Structures are given as structure tokens and as C-alpha cells.
Amino acid sequence: MDFTWIWDSFILIIAAMILLRIAGRKSIAQMSVVTTVIIISIGTTIVQPIANHSIYKAVGSAAIFIATLLIIEYLQVKFNWFEKIMTGTSKIVIENGHIIHENLRSLRMTVDQLELKLREKGISNITDVKNATMETNGQLGYELMHHAKPVTNGDLEKWLGLKQGEDPNMLFQEVIQNHNTESVDSRWQ
């Protein structure tokens, strides 16, 4: 029996991963029509040489693809350098309210595309963003400037001089205090 299909499977999956890595995180994350067609085409091309010969080889190849994926995911968790090689790192695209054009170019992203991502997050002004990063999964991570952050319950409690978590008008306060001191008639339980 010929077992060269095992090595072919490994070579094909590594080649596909390298090609998709070259395509970049933006392409994979956005999944436009063109990107979807290309990824499906790459998948079909990878499986085609193996699948035409035998159903068992096709199933075996798919199993090897999955095993390779699991091994790579394990290695990414175990070794930071391996994760950096396989998925890359986040890139800063806004720093102190200013766009880092060089990083946008390396991501092959336009200012208009960055603005679209900001609007999707409800941010209407770039100067309100302290830091923004394009994450490895194609999502935008951001931190707002102090003046643009929404007010939290903790902020309100601090400004009103309340101890955090304590509300003098809490509707259940009387019930909680009375529950511990008064016993309830057994007929009402």
C-alpha cells in the first residue's frame, strides 16, 4: 500500500496555512465574496489530488488536517514564539488620537476602513481614541480617552459620596434587615 498521501497531506496543509497567512488577517476576518471564493478554492485545490484516488485517503487526509490543526493550536498555547509565527501580533493603528499610517499600510487597510470599524464601535471621533489595535482575528480593540469614556455606576457612586454598592434608597434594604430579626408565623410559610 502506498503511504505517500500522508506526506502529501502534511505538505498541502502547511502550504495552505502559509498561503492564508500571506493573505493576511484582514482578508480572513472580513470574508468578502472574493475572499470566500479564494478560501474555498484553496480548500478544494488542497483536497483534490488526494480525494480523486480513494475515499479512504480523503477521509485520512481530512483526519490529518484536523490532527495538524490540533497540534498547531497546542503548540501556539505552549510556545509564544510559535503563536507569533502562526497568527502574528496585534498592531497599533491609533495612538493618542493619531492614526499610525505605517501600520495601516502594513495591514493593507485604508483610513476609510479604519473609520468604518470605529463607527461600528460607536466612536465618532478619532481624537477620542487613546489607543486602538488591529487584533490578530481582524477585530478592532480600543481604549477611549478619559474624557470620552462612558460614566459607570462606580463613577456615580464616587461622585455622590456613596460607598460602592450601597444605596440608601434600596427597595430591598428594609426586607433584608427585617428578615434576619423577625420570625415568620409558621402558618404563613
Side-chain angles (χ1 to χ4, degrees), residues 159-179:
W159 294 332
L160 294 174
L162 300 173
K163 292 182 183 175
Q164 289 193 352
E166 186 180 295
D167 183 358
N169 299 321
M170 188 171 123
L171 296 173
F172 294 99
Q173 192 64 36
E174 181 181 339
V175 175
I176 292 169
Q177 289 173 350
N178 290 338
H179 176 71

Side-chain angles (χ1 to χ4, degrees), residues 26-164:
K26 184 183 86 164
S27 300
I28 293 169
Q30 289 180 350
M31 292 299 284
S32 66
V33 172
V34 173
T35 308
T36 304
V37 169
I38 289 172
I39 289 176
I40 291 171
S41 299
I42 289 172
T44 304
T45 304
I46 288 171
V47 175
Q48 198 63 32
I50 299 165
N52 282 340
H53 300 292
S54 168
I55 188 73
Y56 300 111
K57 288 182 181 179
V59 171
S61 294
I64 288 173
F65 290 169
I66 298 300
T68 304
L69 175 66
L70 294 175
I71 290 168
I72 288 172
E73 286 176 345
Y74 172 77
L75 291 173
Q76 285 179 329
V77 169
K78 196 79 173 156
F79 304 106
N80 285 337
W81 62 267
F82 191 76
E83 179 185 19
K84 186 176 180 181
I85 289 171
M86 295 307 296
T87 59
T89 58
S90 300
K91 290 202 181 236
I92 297 174
V93 291
I94 298 175
E95 193 169 39
N96 292 322
H98 300 296
I99 296 174
I100 310 296
H101 292 281
E102 180 180 314
N103 288 350
L104 279 182
R105 274 191 296 278
S106 73
L107 292 168
R108 293 186 311 269
M109 181 179 222
T110 66
V111 173
D112 289 337
Q113 291 169 329
L114 176 62
E115 289 172 347
L116 173 115
K117 288 192 173 288
L118 290 169
R119 286 190 301 273
E120 288 176 342
K121 300 286 185 182
I123 300 169
S124 58
N125 194 340
I126 291 174
T127 59
D128 288 343
V129 180
K130 183 175 182 181
N131 293 304
T133 56
M134 185 56 60
E135 302 299 335
T136 57
N137 64 358
Q139 298 295 314
L140 182 73
Y142 66 93
E143 176 187 7
L144 295 173
M145 295 281 197
H146 183 71
H147 70 272
K149 289 182 182 179
V151 176
T152 65
N153 286 342
D155 293 334
L156 285 175
E157 289 172 350
K158 192 181 338 175
W159 294 332
L160 294 174
L162 300 173
K163 292 182 183 175
Q164 289 193 352

